[in-house]
């Protein structure tokens, strides 16, 4: 089998694990620069930057922290992860190992998303499918996929929805992240019940186990009656409230806290009956005594007309209380009798202005019929009530017209202001459910738009960095080409010099050979002359020594 080091040495792209605090357990994409001495690699990260935020981080890492990039054919983007699947989730520029807790139910979002339990640090994070991949271990030079882990299901297991008790017996939806101190406390993350997602920027919180209970089960309630005790989802918490009036029976109610006469309108979906978690089961909370209502009524001074049998009407000022019923009439409640009079709702002012007919003829009020009760105006001076009501009618129609004229560059603050205006009109009985729903969708689109713009800005910055690198590389390339040309010219010049020297060498060699030849010839002549000289000298001596 081929060793892992030899496989890694022969590749360029790889992944590197980091042991530094805040980065442990994550794998980061990198490019191998060179294999240093021993077991060290010099790598450049593709997603991590130096302190300047622009220059890619380069460092030496041990061979044990390096592996190839996982094969794409084992990470099909179209596959669906099951609960308990071990996955890698892309966050903060790296791939972190986690465990799939659940796939988000349809209707929560337009994309396929998963809740993933992260171990280090402990957290539950929502990821889109495109940011997940199957976890693979690099072992003995090959990829191994671990088996799925069985999730332990309990009332307080990780990923379970619970409610956390807060001051004033309020309960806040949250999700269990991890059990600590042998069950004495839990790490939880607060959850937005309405949007079915975590609040942006929400962190983990450690809470005492005595302050945690399972999520209260959904209980079907046909309708609530006046002074019924309920829990209302106000903001992010379930708060104890009392029903003060009925707007649409089974749909909308006016509720307030026990000691307050200021009521707010709630949809039935944001109300639930009080229950308590006791001995491991949910039990209905014992009803508390209903409150005694004051003569002034819950919404302040009330105006009623009691219908006579003969068809006439008379004003009855001696009523203990009035509340709105589901058919948009005022139901008279008398402390001394349980009989309910046949009454009709009237506005806290008389319609005198001819402008009302003009409003009723407008297309906007035909498309979205309105029947506001203007109950809060009973707290203002009588002379201002009709004018205020007309102003609200104009505001409502104007808001709808402005809504149609919105452009894609509308800001979130403008949408929030429009949302607040519709919410204020809702307190006066306007049906603003559809406009508010559209505004919520637009706000969600704006969040996505801001996210895309930030992402594009990041890409543009990366493009600037890469463009700068490209310009630098082009300059270096040009410099190297210029130097290579200079070297070639020097080489040609030296070649020319070499050719000239070769010619000079040949001439010198010929001269050297000719001189050597001449020397040899002269040495031969010298030897011949020496021999001849010896012969002359011998003959000379012979003549001298001859006898007479």
């Amino acid at each position: 089998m081929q060793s892992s080091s030899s496989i890694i040495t022969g590749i360029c792209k790889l992944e590197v694990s980091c042991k530094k605090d805040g980065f442990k357990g994550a794998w980061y994409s990198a490019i191998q620069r060179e294999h240093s001495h021993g077991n060290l690699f010099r790598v450049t990260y593709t997603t991590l930057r130096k302190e300047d935020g622009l220059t890619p981080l380069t460092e030496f890492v041990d061979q044990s922290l390096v592996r190839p990039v996982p094969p794409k054919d084992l990470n099909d983007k179209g596959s669906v992860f099951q609960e308990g699947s071990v996955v890698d989730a892309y966050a903060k520029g790296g791939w972190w190992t986690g465990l799939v807790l659940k796939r988000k139910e349809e209707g929560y979002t337009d994309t396929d998303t998963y809740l993933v339990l992260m171990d280090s640090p402990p957290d539950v994070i929502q990821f889109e499918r495109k940011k997940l991949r199957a976890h693979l271990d690099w072992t003995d030079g090959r990829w191994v996929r671990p088996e799925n882990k069985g999730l332990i299901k309990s009332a307080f297991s990780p990923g379970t929805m619970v409610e956390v008790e807060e001051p004033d017996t309020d309960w806040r939806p949250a999700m269990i992240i991890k059990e600590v101190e042998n069950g004495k406390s839990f790490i939880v993350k607060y959850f937005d019940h309405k949007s079915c997602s975590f609040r942006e920027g929400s962190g983990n919180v450690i809470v005492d186990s005595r302050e945690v209970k399972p999520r209260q089960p959904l209980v079907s309630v046909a309708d609530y009656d006046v002074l019924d005790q309920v829990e209302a989802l106000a903001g992010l918490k379930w708060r104890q409230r009392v029903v003060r009036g009925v707007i649409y029976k089974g749909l909308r109610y006016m509720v307030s806290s026990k000691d307050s006469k200021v009521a707010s309108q709630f949809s039935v979906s944001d109300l639930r009956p009080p229950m308590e978690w006791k001995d491991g089961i949910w039990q209905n909370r014992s009803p508390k005594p209903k409150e005694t209502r004051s003569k002034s009524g819950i919404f302040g001074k009330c105006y009623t007309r009691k219908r006579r049998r003969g068809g006439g009407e008379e004003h009855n000022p001696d009523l203990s209380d009035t509340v709105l019923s589901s058919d948009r009439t005022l139901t008279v409640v008398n402390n001394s009798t349980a009989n309910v009079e046949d009454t009709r709702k009237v506005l806290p002012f008389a319609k005198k202005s001819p402008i009302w007919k003009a409003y009723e003829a407008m297309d906007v009020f035909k498309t979205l019929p309105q029947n506001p009760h203007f109950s809060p105006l009973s707290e203002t001076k009588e002379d201002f009530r009709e004018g205020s009501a007309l102003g609200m009618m104009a505001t409502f129609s104007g808001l709808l017209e402005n809504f149609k004229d919105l452009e894609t560059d509308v800001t979130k603050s403008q949408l929030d202001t429009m949302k607040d205006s519709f919410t204020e009109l809702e307190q006066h009985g306007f049906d603003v459910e559809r406009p508010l729903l559209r505004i919520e969708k637009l706000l969600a689109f704006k969040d996505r738009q801001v996210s895309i713009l930030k992402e594009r800005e990041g890409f543009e910055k990366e493009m600037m960095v890469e463009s700068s690198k490209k310009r630098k590389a082009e300059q270096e390339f040009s410099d190297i080409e210029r130097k290579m040309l200079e070297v070639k010219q020097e080489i040609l010049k030296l070649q020319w010099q070499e050719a000239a020297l070769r010619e000079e060498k040949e001439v010198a060699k010929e001269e050297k050979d000719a001189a050597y030849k001449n020397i040899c010839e002269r040495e031969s002549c010298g030897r011949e002359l020496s021999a001849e000289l010896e012969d002359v000298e011998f003959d000379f001596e012979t003549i001298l020594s001859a006898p007479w």
Side-chain angles (χ1 to χ4, degrees), residues 268-286:
V268 70
S269 61
D270 293 333
L271 301 176
R272 70 184 188 187
M275 300 180 70
E276 60 181 349
W277 176 254
K278 188 175 182 180
D279 298 329
I281 59 174
W282 283 103
Q283 301 178 5
N284 292 324
R285 190 180 302 168
S286 301

Side-chain angles (χ1 to χ4, degrees), residues 170-173 194 231-241 255 264 266 270-271:
D170 294 337
W171 291 93
R172 186 169 180 179
K194 286 189 174 182
E231 289 184 354
L233 185 61
L236 300 175
K237 306 176 184 178
W238 289 101
R239 306 173 187 268
Q240 293 188 10
R241 293 291 185 264
V255 302
S264 301
F266 279 82
D270 293 333
L271 301 176

Side-chain angles (χ1 to χ4, degrees), residues 40-316:
L40 294 179
F41 287 85
R42 184 171 180 266
V43 299
T44 297
Y45 295 97
T46 61
T47 57
L48 299 182
R49 298 287 186 269
K50 293 183 179 180
E51 295 180 356
D52 60 8
L54 298 175
T55 307
L57 177 63
T58 299
E59 64 179 2
F60 287 92
V61 296
D62 190 81
Q63 176 183 316
S64 62
L65 302 177
V66 178
R67 72 178 188 183
V69 177
K72 293 184 179 180
D73 56 346
L74 296 180
N75 277 290
D76 182 15
K77 295 298 183 182
S79 61
V80 176
F81 293 118
Q82 305 298 325
E83 293 184 5
S85 297
V86 183
V87 296
D88 291 336
Y90 187 77
K92 300 179 181 179
W95 291 96
W96 304 73
T97 304
L99 191 67
V100 172
L101 292 178
K102 66 175 64 176
R103 183 185 179 190
K104 292 293 288 294
E105 297 177 12
E106 294 182 2
Y108 282 3
T109 178
D110 294 333
T111 57
D112 194 11
T113 58
Y114 295 81
L115 289 179
V116 181
L117 174 64
M118 315 301 292
D119 182 59
S120 178
D123 203 352
V124 172
I125 305 176
Q126 178 177 312
F127 288 97
E128 294 182 1
R129 174 61 183 84
K130 64 183 180 181
K131 292 188 178 181
L132 296 177
R133 70 183 187 187
H135 178 76
L136 299 171
D137 293 322
W138 177 248
T139 305
D140 296 330
R142 62 189 183 91
W143 290 105
V144 179
R145 177 176 292 178
E147 296 182 358
N148 292 350
K149 298 182 179 180
L151 297 178
I152 301 175
K153 298 292 185 179
S154 68
F156 302 105
S157 58
T160 304
M161 293 302 304
V162 295
E163 294 180 5
V164 179
E165 186 176 18
E166 297 198 344
D168 300 326
T169 63
D170 294 337
W171 291 93
R172 186 169 180 179
M175 179 179 286
I176 294 290
I177 304 299
K178 187 178 182 180
E179 177 184 313
V180 293
E181 299 180 0
N182 295 325
K184 294 182 179 180
S185 57
F186 294 100
I187 299 176
V188 302
K189 194 170 189 176
Y190 290 124
F191 198 77
D192 189 337
H193 180 79
K194 286 189 174 182
S195 64
C196 297
S197 61
F198 296 113
R199 298 283 293 182
E200 185 176 353
S202 62
N204 298 340
V205 181
I206 299 179
V207 296
D208 192 283
S209 60
R210 293 170 293 182
E211 300 173 349
V212 179
K213 68 177 182 180
R215 181 169 59 175
Q216 182 171 319
L218 296 176
V219 178
S220 177
V221 178
D223 53 61
Y224 296 100
D225 293 326
V226 176
L227 295 185
D228 277 351
Q229 294 187 35
V230 296
E231 289 184 354
L233 185 61
L236 300 175
K237 306 176 184 178
W238 289 101
R239 306 173 187 268
Q240 293 188 10
R241 293 291 185 264
V242 178
V243 176
R244 300 298 187 180
V246 182
I247 303 301
Y248 293 100
K249 200 168 185 64
L251 294 176
R252 288 185 174 274
Y253 298 86
M254 299 297 292
V255 302
S256 71
S257 59
K258 178 180 178 181
D259 302 323
S260 175
K261 293 183 179 180
V262 179
S264 301
Q265 187 176 157
F266 279 82
S267 171
V268 70
S269 61
D270 293 333
L271 301 176
R272 70 184 188 187
M275 300 180 70
E276 60 181 349
W277 176 254
K278 188 175 182 180
D279 298 329
I281 59 174
W282 283 103
Q283 301 178 5
N284 292 324
R285 190 180 302 168
S286 301
K288 298 181 180 179
K290 293 190 176 182
E291 304 170 65
T292 303
R293 290 166 285 186
S294 63
K295 273 191 173 185
S296 61
I298 294 172
F299 299 110
K301 186 176 179 181
C302 298
Y303 295 83
T304 64
R305 293 175 184 172
K306 187 169 66 176
R307 182 179 301 168
R308 290 180 177 177
R309 290 185 179 179
E313 296 179 346
E314 63 180 7
H315 179 63
N316 184 358

